[in-house]
C-alpha cells in the first residue's frame, strides 16, 4: 500500500502571500488530519476532516483553513502568511486510532 | 495547558541496553496512546499503541506500559540499537469520535555504539 503523500516537500513564500498544501491519504482511510511542527511548540493539531466534513479544529487563527475532497484527498490553505508560519506541516491519515504521517511540507516564510 | 508531557528532553543509552522513555498525561478522557519515532525533516513513524483498557502491549523490541492510576506510560526498547537514535513522541487520542492526537514535546534518544 502506498503511504501518505504530501506535496510539495519544500516551499518558500513571502510574507503576505498565501499557500496551499496537498495531502493524499492511504487508500481506504477517510480521516485526514493536519499538524504544524515548530521547534518551540512541537506538533500541534490544526484540523481533522472525515468524509469531506471538518470534524475537529485546533486553536489556530482563521487564516488556516482546509478541505477534503470526495476521494479523501485534502488540502490546507494558509492566507496572509506571517514569518511565524514557517514550520513543518504534517498530514496524517487514520484508520481507527492509528494515524500514519506523510513526509511533511517544509514551509519557509521570508 | 500541556495535557501530554514528556519531561526528559533527551536520553542517552549504550547499545544493547534498555531504553525507557516516559510520558505523563492529565486528561482522563484519553482512550488510546501511541508512540512515534521521528527523524529531522521527516514525518513521524508509528511504532506502537495501547488502549486505555490495557496495561501492556508488546511488539518485538518495543513494549509500552500504561499505568492509568498514575496517568503514566512508558516505552521500553530492548535491546537498544544505534538505528533507534531519533526523537520519540508520545501521543494520546481523546475518546469521542475524532482522530485528533495530542502530542508531547518529544524525547531525543541517542544510542551509543
Amino acid at each position: 500500500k502506498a503511504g501518505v503523500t504530501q506535496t510539495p516537500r519544500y516551499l518558500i513564500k513571502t510574507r503576505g502571500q498565501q499557500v496551499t498544501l496537498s495531502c493524499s491519504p492511504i487508500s481506504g482511510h477517510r480521516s485526514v488530519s493536519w499538524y504544524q511542527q515548530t521547534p518551540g511548540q512541537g506538533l500541534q493539531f490544526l484540523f481533522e476532516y472525515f468524509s469531506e466534513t471538518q470534524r475537529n479544529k485546533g486553536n489556530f487563527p482563521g487564516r488556516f483553513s482546509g478541505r477534503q475532497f470526495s476521494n479523501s484527498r485534502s488540502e490546507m490553505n494558509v492566507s496572509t502568511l506571517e514569518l511565524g508560519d514557517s514550520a513543518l506541516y504534517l498530514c496524517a491519515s487514520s484508520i481507527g486510532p492509528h494515524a500514519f504521517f506523510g513526509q511533511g511540507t517544509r514551509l519557509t516564510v521570508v | 495547558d500541556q495535557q501530554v508531557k514528556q519531561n526528559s528532553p533527551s536520553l542517552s543509552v549504550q547499545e544493547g541496553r534498555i531504553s525507557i522513555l516516559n510520558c505523563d498525561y492529565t486528561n482522563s478522557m484519553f482512550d488510546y496512546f501511541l508512540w512515534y519515532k521521528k527523524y529531522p525533516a521527516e514525518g513521524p513513524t508509528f511504532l506502537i499503541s495501547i488502549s486505555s483498557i490495557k496495561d501492556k502491549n508488546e511488539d518485538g523490541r518495543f513494549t509500552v506500559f500504561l499505568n492509568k492510576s498514575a496517568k503514566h506510560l512508558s516505552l521500553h526498547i530492548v535491546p537498544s540499537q544505534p538505528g533507534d537514535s531519533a526523537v520519540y513522541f508520545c501521543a494520546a487520542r481523546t475518546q469521542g469520535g475524532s482522530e485528533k492526537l495530542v502530542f508531547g514535546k518529544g524525547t531525543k534518544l541517542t544510542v551509543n555504539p
Side-chain angles (χ1 to χ4, degrees):
Chain A
K1 250 185 185 178
V4 179
T5 304
Q6 289 188 246
T7 56
R9 288 292 312 276
Y10 303 94
L11 209 46
I12 299 175
K13 289 286 188 178
T14 304
R15 267 182 304 175
Q17 286 187 313
Q18 75 162 16
V19 67
T20 298
L21 312 181
S22 180
C23 172
S24 293
I26 294 170
S27 177
H29 289 194
R30 291 161 64 191
S31 167
V32 175
S33 299
W34 288 88
Y35 294 82
Q36 181 196 65
Q37 186 187 22
T38 56
Q41 297 297 321
L43 278 95
Q44 301 220 291
F45 173 79
L46 280 154
F47 27 67
E48 181 208 0
Y49 287 87
F50 183 88
S51 293
E52 302 178 65
T53 301
Q54 188 179 86
R55 189 155 71 171
N56 206 335
K57 190 177 189 310
N59 190 24
F60 278 82
R63 300 184 297 106
F64 291 81
S65 62
R67 59 177 175 167
Q68 187 181 32
F69 302 95
S70 58
N71 61 358
S72 292
R73 191 177 71 84
S74 177
E75 289 181 348
M76 69 163 279
N77 184 277
V78 189
S79 62
T80 320
L81 283 164
E82 300 177 0
L83 294 179
D85 297 334
S86 295
L88 181 65
Y89 290 88
L90 293 159
C91 168
S93 79
S94 300
I95 188 156
H98 298 111
F100 299 90
F101 286 82
Q103 295 279 64
T105 295
R106 169 68 65 186
L107 171 65
T108 303
V109 182
V110 298
Chain B
D1 176 29
Q2 208 179 333
Q3 299 182 64
V4 177
K5 293 182 185 177
Q6 293 177 257
N7 292 316
S8 298
S10 63
L11 175 68
S12 184
V13 300
Q14 286 299 120
E15 181 179 4
R17 305 295 291 268
I18 184 171
S19 295
I20 300 176
L21 297 112
N22 294 303
C23 179
D24 297 299
Y25 63 96
T26 57
N27 190 340
S28 300
M29 299 299 286
F30 289 144
D31 67 345
Y32 250 95
F33 301 90
L34 304 92
W35 284 94
Y36 288 86
K37 173 181 177 180
K38 189 178 183 302
Y39 296 113
E42 291 187 9
T45 300
F46 170 73
L47 281 175
I48 192 169
S49 66
I50 187 167
S51 163
S52 61
I53 62 172
K54 300 200 171 183
D55 54 20
K56 178 182 174 181
N57 189 25
E58 201 169 349
D59 184 2
R61 296 185 298 115
F62 302 94
T63 303
V64 57
F65 295 92
L66 176 61
N67 182 332
K68 282 188 70 176
S69 61
K71 292 192 174 68
H72 177 83
L73 65 155
S74 60
L75 174 68
H76 293 211
I77 306 173
V78 184
S80 301
Q81 300 171 353
D84 295 329
S85 298
V87 177
Y88 288 76
F89 288 94
C90 168
R93 184 187 81 161
T94 307
Q95 64 188 37
S98 167
E99 304 306 337
K100 170 188 173 181
L101 295 176
V102 179
F103 282 83
K105 292 198 185 288
T107 297
K108 184 176 181 181
L109 173 66
T110 302
V111 180
N112 302 301

